[in-house]
Amino acid sequence: MRKDQRHWSFKRFFHCEGRENCPTFQFFSSRAFNPKKWSPIVIGLLVLFVFLDAILFSIFKPATDWAPLWVGGQLSWTSPRLAYDTELVSALQVPLVGATSDRPFVYPPSALLLFAPLSTLSFPAAFLLFSVLSVALFARAARPFKPQPLLLLVAPPVVLAILAGQPTILVVALILFGLAQLDQKEGWAGVLFAMAAMIKPPLLLLAPIALAGGGYWRALLTAGATATAIGGASLAVFGLDAWLAWLSALPAFKVLVTEFEPLLRNAVTPYAMFVRMGLPPYFATACAALVVIPIAWLSFAKTRDMRIRLVTLAGGALLLSPYAMNYELAALAPAVAALRLERIRDLIMPAIWAVSLFVTVSLVGLLAVYAWAVVQLVSRWHDAAVPTEADTICLRT
């Protein structure tokens, strides 16, 4: 493979020989940034997205979710175990974002390897640096999907995740890089998936099944080795107490999610929906598992379409996870922004996905995108199974 034909590399990302050869320049100079080439359908969706973004900026205070990450990072320098003391972490956030309810640090100690260095900066500086780097990597990683760049960056779930200071954007960028490299540099893909999983494990719940379905055994091996190395590094730096404190804090966090109405209302999972309806929540998880596990396996075994793989991997994980909030819909943004928007009906699914943030039924938006991916997977599988006319002639002869 020639150098100029590679999908991406860190060297090409940071060092471009002429802007015409720079993938980042090509991304931001595409037709999506030329209003003269926008179709009325794209303009309509863009107007909807910007309108919803304005609502988000009017009702959400920036960096509210970055506060527990920054505070947890600071505490890890002195006593990592205290990062999982919900009362202490919540109290230390008051000078940063004002009076809040319980806002625990819930990420594993492996994530502190990222947040601890950032916490050495001031709160605003750390938030700004983390946001800029996350968006830059996200935009670059999404390029193989060929999305409409402007739609991608102003999509309400993406804006919400950035505004809140969630690491979702960074984690999704790592997943996108991994998907792009899976059929070329399988080992590196496993490394990237493991890095993402050690920051936000729920989004990678289905990764082992998906990789096994596609026969990506080298990726599985390198992912396991990388996860072990990162876990070992966090154990050496923060100690066993930090991991024990995290495991001890998980039951309390589960109670907080299931009993605190604002969190429950903004959750995106079937588990949370069943809790709200007073139904057995684990029944929802079991039903979801019966669907998303075989779909994840088949999507990596039967197609190389990265949009389908992303939705069935990350979207399926959200359907399976007990806890995930509405900003996690940003994980599906590259697939949504890459849709062909040519007819009015093409607006239905992206509109449902975006509007569902505001009507306390974000699960509907997730299901809409996931159903699209499943339909695409089945149709491609069917097309591949039906012999063409040329195949029929060859068989007859």
Side-chain angles (χ1 to χ4, degrees):
M1 181 179 296
R2 296 183 319 186
K3 181 178 180 180
D4 60 349
Q5 289 179 324
R6 295 175 186 170
H7 284 284
W8 70 278
S9 70
F10 290 108
K11 183 177 180 180
R12 291 191 69 215
F13 181 80
F14 290 107
H15 303 285
C16 300
E17 299 176 0
R19 67 181 188 177
E20 68 280 357
N21 296 322
C22 179
T24 307
F25 174 82
Q26 293 169 5
F27 179 84
F28 287 106
S29 61
S30 66
R31 63 180 296 169
F33 287 93
N34 186 349
K36 295 181 180 180
K37 296 182 179 180
W38 291 349
S39 71
I41 306 300
V42 172
I43 293 175
L45 187 59
L46 182 61
V47 169
L48 174 64
F49 280 5
V50 172
F51 173 73
L52 296 176
D53 291 342
I55 297 176
L56 287 175
F57 278 100
S58 68
I59 62 178
F60 282 98
K61 187 174 182 179
T64 51
D65 286 356
W66 176 248
L69 308 184
W70 187 81
V71 169
Q74 284 214 320
L75 289 172
S76 69
W77 287 103
T78 53
S79 179
R81 184 181 182 85
L82 293 179
Y84 300 100
D85 185 330
T86 299
E87 292 185 3
L88 176 61
V89 171
S90 300
L92 292 175
Q93 293 175 60
V94 173
L96 304 174
V97 294
T100 63
S101 56
D102 288 344
R103 300 183 65 84
F105 177 80
V106 298
Y107 294 85
S110 52
L112 288 172
L113 294 172
L114 170 65
F115 300 131
L118 286 170
S119 70
T120 59
L121 302 174
S122 67
F123 180 73
F127 173 64
L128 180 61
L129 176 62
F130 182 74
S131 299
V132 170
L133 289 177
S134 296
V135 172
L137 289 171
F138 179 69
R140 178 63 188 90
R143 187 170 176 266
F145 286 71
K146 299 181 180 179
Q148 291 278 351
L150 197 55
L151 287 179
L152 175 70
L153 297 179
V154 302
V158 174
V159 171
L160 176 59
I162 297 169
L163 184 65
Q166 272 290 324
T168 299
I169 300 300
L170 174 61
V171 172
V172 174
L174 293 172
I175 295 174
L176 298 180
F177 278 130
L179 289 173
Q181 290 299 293
L182 200 51
D183 291 311
Q184 300 176 22
K185 297 180 180 179
E186 189 179 327
W188 279 111
V191 171
L192 292 162
F193 289 145
M195 291 171 62
M198 297 304 282
I199 299 173
K200 191 181 274 282
L203 279 179
L204 279 297
L205 283 176
L206 294 173
I209 294 168
L211 294 175
Y216 297 110
W217 305 111
R218 184 181 300 174
L220 266 176
L221 182 62
T222 56
T226 302
T228 301
I230 295 174
S234 66
L235 187 64
V237 174
F238 303 116
L240 180 61
D241 281 351
W243 280 95
L244 295 176
W246 174 62
L247 293 173
S248 299
L250 290 180
F253 178 63
K254 176 186 173 182
V255 172
L256 174 64
V257 171
T258 55
E259 295 184 357
F260 188 52
E261 179 58 27
L263 286 179
L264 200 60
R265 186 172 60 246
N266 291 316
V268 72
T269 65
Y271 181 97
M273 179 64 72
F274 270 51
V275 171
R276 291 178 63 188
M277 296 171 63
L279 300 174
Y282 287 107
F283 180 73
T285 303
C287 292
L290 293 176
V291 175
V292 301
I293 289 176
I295 292 297
W297 178 286
L298 290 172
S299 66
F300 277 67
K302 299 298 182 180
T303 181
R304 293 189 177 183
D305 189 319
M306 288 193 295
R307 299 174 303 166
I308 297 175
R309 287 182 169 185
L310 173 65
V311 174
T312 56
L313 177 65
L318 294 177
L319 291 171
L320 191 61
S321 175
Y323 170 76
M325 299 301 290
N326 51 8
Y327 47 72
E328 304 290 7
L329 290 176
L332 313 180
V336 175
L339 293 174
R340 295 181 63 181
L341 301 174
E342 299 174 345
R343 296 162 294 184
I344 293 294
R345 68 182 186 183
D346 295 336
L347 290 173
I348 296 176
M349 189 266 280
I352 293 174
W353 171 72
V355 173
S356 67
L357 283 176
F358 300 86
V359 291
T360 69
V361 284
S362 301
L363 176 60
V364 174
L366 171 59
L367 289 174
V369 181
Y370 192 81
W372 167 85
V374 172
V375 170
Q376 293 293 315
L377 175 62
V378 172
S379 64
R380 295 187 183 206
W381 190 7
H382 176 267
D383 291 343
V386 176
T388 63
E389 182 178 352
D391 294 333
T392 306
I393 293 174
C394 290
L395 288 172
R396 288 176 180 175
T397 56

